[in-house]
Amino acid sequence: MTDPIVITEPTVEPLTVEELKAHLRVDTADEDALIEAYLIESREYFEARTRRSLHEKTLEYFLDGFPCGPIYLPFASPLISVTGVWYKNSAGAETEWTGFVVDTNSEVGSVRPAYGQSYPSYTAYPVNSVRVRYKAGIANQSPQIYPKQTIIGAIRLLAAGRYENREAEVIPGRQTMDTIALQYGAETLISMNQVHWAF
């Protein structure tokens, strides 16, 4: 399964720079930009590992053709809505398909033909002939639902680890018990929020 393209990034993060600074015990603004960068990196890492979208973003997913079953949408945990589905024929002409229903209730959001409908019959373009645009994550509009504490905790630990250990290299024998505990703590919270693809 390929990953979707991010069309619009989220406008909020799971915790604020000020909340992360409180955890880090940082009371100056000197490194706010750096701390914000670590926060975004940590959220992106968490999303990549768990296959979730934390806050509302717009994504586009491409397939070479319609599947036999539902179109399961990567990083659509949770799925907010589907903007549209398009398919491209062998001549490169794109047509919108509207005969679908959307599942926003399952852990992995999906699109499937509506009752009495079927996928279009067409000669597909050689690559990426089906395009699905959708919104996933926690919606920006009311009612606002915040990520659960295990998600916030994982991002906090990941970002704190990046702040405290700024180099990529690990020198053998120099890893402290605190660093090991941090890694295992974050790993536990990540595994608790993993999306399981049972298909």
Side-chain angles (χ1 to χ4, degrees):
M1 170 178 293
T2 59
D3 286 345
I5 296 170
V6 178
I7 303 299
T8 58
E9 294 282 0
T11 56
V12 293
E13 296 295 335
L15 65 161
T16 66
V17 169
E18 290 305 315
E19 288 169 333
L20 183 54
K21 285 172 65 177
H23 175 75
L24 296 170
R25 297 182 178 89
V26 173
D27 54 11
T28 68
D30 296 348
E31 296 186 311
D32 279 9
L34 180 65
I35 291 170
E36 183 179 20
Y38 289 154
L39 177 58
I40 294 169
E41 288 174 14
S42 299
R43 187 256 305 161
E44 290 177 346
Y45 176 79
F46 181 88
E47 290 178 327
R49 286 284 307 280
T50 61
R51 310 296 288 178
R52 292 187 179 279
S53 289
L54 296 188
H55 284 283
E56 182 174 328
K57 65 174 73 170
T58 301
L59 304 160
E60 252 185 15
Y61 180 49
F62 292 86
L63 303 93
D64 286 341
F66 286 105
C68 295
I71 302 173
Y72 291 102
L73 301 171
F75 295 93
S77 299
L79 175 63
I80 298 170
S81 63
V82 172
T83 306
V85 180
W86 296 265
Y87 61 96
K88 193 186 320 183
N89 67 17
S90 57
E94 194 172 62
T95 303
E96 185 173 7
W97 176 57
T98 58
F100 63 86
V101 294
V102 179
D103 177 7
T104 59
N105 296 317
S106 299
E107 183 175 40
V108 179
S110 63
V111 173
R112 62 194 74 208
Y115 182 76
Q117 299 290 319
S118 59
Y119 288 123
S121 177
Y122 70 113
T123 303
Y125 194 74
V127 64
N128 295 333
S129 71
V130 176
R131 176 170 65 94
V132 184
R133 180 173 285 203
Y134 55 101
K135 291 183 179 181
I138 296 170
N140 293 334
Q141 61 190 14
S142 183
Q144 176 71 54
I145 301 171
Y146 295 95
K148 56 186 179 180
Q149 285 300 314
T150 55
I151 292 175
I152 294 172
I155 305 261
R156 186 185 295 121
L157 286 174
L158 290 167
R162 288 284 289 122
Y163 182 79
E164 296 294 338
N165 304 283
R166 302 185 185 196
E167 303 301 325
E169 295 81 9
V170 175
I171 301 171
R174 294 278 301 277
Q175 195 172 25
T176 66
M177 287 304 295
D178 288 341
T179 304
I180 293 169
L182 176 66
Q183 289 175 344
Y184 280 107
E187 285 300 314
T188 298
L189 296 175
I190 288 170
S191 66
M192 287 173 63
N193 291 284
Q194 191 79 39
V195 172
H196 300 286
W197 291 71
F199 36 82

